[in-house]
Amino acid sequence: MLRRWRNFVIDAMPSQQQSSAADAKCPPLTSLAYIIIGTGMGMGLMINSSPVHGLLHPEEGHVPIHTLEGDTFGGYSWGVERSPFRGVGTVEGVTSSVALTERLLWMQQEQEEEEEEEKDGGGAKSVNDSCGSGDDDAAAQSILSTLPDSHPLWSHASNAIANLCVTILLLTSCQRIVLGGGVMNRSILYDRIRREVLVLLNGYLDVEELSSEEKLKSVICASSWQSLGVGSGLVGVFALALDSLEEEEAGEEKCDSALATKRERKNGIERRKVFGLGIMVGIGLSMRCILLIKIAGRGLLRRH
């Protein structure tokens, strides 16, 4: 159902392809968005059974959102120089692990007393204790994993992702949005996102699939590989490799078939040449025989 993206493949695209192809329990899809939310963001988008690729691949992480009321966070450091909107009030600027970690640091700096309690009381690990180790990505994942589900950080994350889902639904009307990546290991986000999507849509898209939080579970969901504990990105890469191998083998078979056809055509031409030559030789021999018969006939007449 899905074809390989030849020109440019981001890591989200093979995940998207395999997630759609692997779910045999649901009817075939012609449109799907696969969103990876980790240190940054990536999205593979398929419309009418074909990957979307215009000037570049989709950059959904830099779409602006409505932040939560009273949010004064100034955006993440990655967005300052070149990101649209300077990384302020964008999906990636709010919900990537880098943004979430920097927001946590900002919140802790705003509440120094709480920070000291966390350090001494054995609560959630402080960002200041972990960052600066030289491995920012690993530190971010480690810090976020220690936070409870009730931490306000996850409200900002679910709001940003819900905003993105609404934007995708309004722009593309795609049948499924698959969410993955390290941030989505926080499983409580799925229900929160669906709930907020319903609030944000405000009943505007009047279709059965978007009519309730329960129905939304078939539209906004995790990868079908997640329940098996398998990274869909890795599976997707293997799927692309298999697709490439199959295309290469098909090309070789086509080439062999073309060579065989060419060989048969050449043999056919040669056979026709031999057949034609045989006819000419046969005609020549026949004419010679007729001539000899005539000569012999004249000889007999003279004798008589």
Side-chain angles (χ1 to χ4, degrees):
M1 180 176 65
L2 305 176
R3 300 303 301 160
R4 187 162 60 97
W5 195 346
R6 294 178 180 275
N7 296 328
F8 192 91
V9 180
I10 58 175
D11 56 352
M13 186 56 69
S15 303
Q16 166 251 354
Q17 291 179 312
Q18 194 60 18
S19 289
S20 178
D23 198 345
K25 294 183 291 185
C26 62
L29 302 174
T30 59
S31 58
L32 180 143
Y34 187 97
I35 303 167
I36 293 176
I37 309 162
T39 52
M41 293 190 67
M43 180 175 76
L45 180 63
M46 178 185 73
I47 300 295
N48 293 330
S49 301
S50 298
V52 173
H53 188 282
L55 297 174
L56 282 173
H57 56 279
E59 286 284 5
E60 85 305 331
H62 302 290
V63 171
I65 63 168
H66 282 288
T67 56
L68 294 178
E69 185 176 355
D71 184 11
T72 57
F73 180 58
Y76 70 145
S77 58
W78 285 15
V80 173
E81 292 187 5
R82 293 191 60 186
S83 292
F85 311 103
R86 300 183 66 83
V88 179
T90 64
V91 185
E92 185 175 292
V94 171
T95 197
S96 66
S97 62
V98 172
L100 290 172
T101 305
E102 291 181 358
R103 180 188 287 273
L104 182 59
L105 174 60
W106 173 73
M107 292 170 67
Q108 290 182 336
Q109 289 173 339
E110 289 285 304
Q111 302 174 4
E112 292 182 1
E113 185 176 339
E114 181 181 344
E115 180 183 353
E116 291 299 323
E117 290 177 0
E118 289 176 353
K119 286 181 180 179
D120 300 333
K125 194 175 182 181
S126 170
V127 177
N128 291 332
D129 291 339
S130 302
C131 287
S133 63
D135 192 348
D136 293 338
D137 293 351
Q141 294 294 334
S142 175
I143 295 158
L144 297 178
S145 66
T146 66
L147 299 178
D149 289 346
S150 59
H151 197 283
L153 212 64
W154 305 121
S155 297
H156 292 283
S158 61
N159 175 69
I161 299 168
N163 270 259
L164 175 60
C165 289
V166 168
T167 298
I168 292 171
L169 288 170
L170 291 172
L171 284 176
T172 70
S173 194
C174 68
Q175 297 161 288
R176 181 164 301 171
I177 299 174
V178 179
L179 302 175
V183 171
M184 293 308 300
N185 287 333
R186 183 68 57 158
S187 59
I188 54 119
L189 289 175
Y190 288 98
D191 286 339
R192 288 190 181 187
I193 290 165
R194 295 185 194 107
R195 195 176 305 122
E196 292 176 37
V197 164
L198 284 177
V199 172
L200 292 170
L201 281 175
N202 196 30
Y204 183 74
L205 297 178
D206 188 17
V207 293
E208 181 68 20
E209 292 83 354
L210 306 178
S211 61
S212 69
E213 191 176 333
E214 186 65 29
K215 295 287 181 61
L216 266 176
K217 288 182 179 180
S218 64
V219 178
I220 300 173
C221 59
S223 166
S224 56
W225 291 98
Q226 185 167 310
S227 61
L228 301 176
V230 181
S232 56
L234 183 60
V235 173
V237 169
F238 278 116
L240 287 178
L242 181 60
D243 186 24
S244 178
L245 178 62
E246 289 174 349
E247 287 189 1
E248 184 177 341
E249 290 176 346
E252 289 176 355
E253 290 178 2
K254 187 176 181 181
C255 183
D256 291 342
S257 177
L259 287 173
T261 301
K262 186 177 181 180
R263 201 175 294 117
E264 289 177 3
R265 188 181 297 117
K266 184 177 180 181
N267 291 339
I269 292 173
E270 289 178 352
R271 283 195 296 270
R272 284 194 293 272
K273 286 181 177 178
V274 171
F275 181 72
L277 182 61
I279 290 175
M280 294 300 294
V281 170
I283 292 172
L285 290 173
S286 298
M287 292 183 68
R288 185 176 179 181
C289 289
I290 292 171
L291 182 61
L292 289 173
I293 290 171
K294 286 183 176 181
I295 293 173
R298 288 176 183 175
L300 289 172
L301 290 173
R302 286 177 183 174
R303 289 178 185 178
H304 291 292

